Amino acid sequence: MKKKGKKTRSLVVALGALVVILAAAYMAVVLIMGDADRDADPGPVHSETYPPLPAMVHEDLPIIQSVVRWHLMEHLDKGQINERLPDTYRVLVLGEDIISSGMVNYLVINSDRDLPGLHRTLLDIGYTHTFRDLAVYEFRDNTLHPILHIDREEIRDGYGRRLIDQVPALNGYALVLEPYKNDALYNAPVKLLEVVMLNEQGRDASDNIVIYWDPTESAYRATNTFGAP
């Protein structure tokens, strides 16, 4: 009986030692994986020169960083990314050169259920989306550089300059992206952003504004007389 007791105690000691060894091994693996994660490519980063719009930040991270990481590192398409995004966000341009700069661009809008739906008069002339906030980015050197910001108060270029004088867009904006080709100005077709402020019925409450890329200034401009002689 005494021999059996000694064997039992030895077994308990051995099992205890095994548990300690396994726990130590687990902790070592966790630490190694943590170091690997810290050393891994963090993916695209947001420019520190011009911060994101507050409405374009979700859970303390610029929403554009998630979009570009999913696109470039997980190879998701626009539909798959829009399914992942919180309900109010939507990607309209994903990795396209829409200003003929040789760099890719991303365009994201932020909306909400309180915005009026587009009135038939705007749908009939081609407007496709409503939004409260909009951002266009150029991606270069693994950094996301904002080149256009629109919120309720103003439309600004990538240098933070206000493009037009306006009253607050209390009911948001309507948007349509228009292909545009001009061999004298651009090396390839570009996309114009045409926006109009909305009233409570989803009708236009302002002149339509065309936002276009000016290659001579390397910045966006805005006008309500685009194409006029």
Side-chain angles (χ1 to χ4, degrees):
M1 294 293 291
K2 290 183 179 180
K3 288 185 178 180
K4 185 176 181 181
K6 288 182 179 179
K7 288 181 179 179
T8 301
R9 285 194 297 271
S10 298
L11 181 59
V12 170
V13 171
L15 288 174
L18 180 60
V19 169
V20 171
I21 292 170
L22 290 174
Y26 172 78
M27 291 301 297
V29 169
V30 169
L31 290 172
I32 291 170
M33 293 299 293
D35 289 339
D37 289 341
R38 284 190 291 272
D39 293 339
D41 184 357
V45 296
H46 196 284
S47 169
E48 296 181 357
T49 304
Y50 190 12
L53 291 170
M56 290 294 184
V57 176
H58 180 69
E59 296 182 348
D60 298 326
L61 183 72
I63 199 73
I64 189 65
Q65 286 185 228
S66 297
V67 168
V68 179
R69 185 176 68 251
W70 293 335
H71 178 222
L72 298 181
M73 303 177 75
E74 298 187 31
H75 310 294
L76 301 186
D77 61 25
K78 188 160 51 178
Q80 292 168 321
I81 290 173
N82 283 329
E83 287 180 359
R84 280 197 185 186
L85 286 173
D87 289 343
T88 61
Y89 297 100
R90 187 170 183 84
V91 177
L92 302 185
V93 172
L94 185 72
E96 302 175 45
D97 182 2
I98 65 171
I99 60 174
S100 186
S101 68
M103 303 290 179
V104 296
N105 304 117
Y106 295 84
L107 190 161
V108 181
I109 58 174
N110 181 42
S111 185
D112 62 57
R113 295 184 181 87
D114 293 333
L115 285 181
L118 284 174
H119 192 272
R120 174 55 60 184
T121 55
L122 291 178
L123 289 170
D124 287 346
I125 59 175
Y127 283 90
T128 55
H129 294 86
T130 61
F131 69 91
R132 286 202 187 276
D133 309 276
L134 178 150
V136 178
Y137 282 87
E138 183 176 77
F139 185 55
R140 62 180 185 273
D141 300 325
N142 204 44
T143 303
L144 290 153
H145 299 270
I147 56 177
L148 180 69
H149 273 170
I150 303 178
D151 62 16
R152 190 178 84 160
E153 302 294 333
E154 57 190 357
I155 301 173
R156 293 172 288 160
D157 67 13
Y159 301 101
R161 300 176 298 202
R162 175 180 276 198
L163 299 189
I164 60 170
D165 293 326
Q166 68 175 82
V167 298
L170 300 179
N171 299 292
Y173 303 83
L175 167 71
V176 59
L177 296 174
E178 294 279 7
Y180 179 71
K181 183 178 180 180
N182 186 321
D183 294 336
L185 292 177
Y186 306 110
N187 295 324
V190 298
K191 286 185 178 178
L192 310 176
L193 287 77
E194 185 173 335
V195 301
V196 64
M197 289 194 293
L198 297 173
N199 66 15
E200 293 179 352
Q201 288 75 44
R203 291 177 177 269
D204 51 314
S206 70
D207 293 336
N208 65 308
I209 301 296
V210 174
I211 303 170
Y212 65 97
W213 183 256
D214 182 350
T216 64
E217 296 287 335
S218 295
Y220 269 112
R221 292 182 177 272
T223 181
N224 61 358
T225 59
F226 189 84

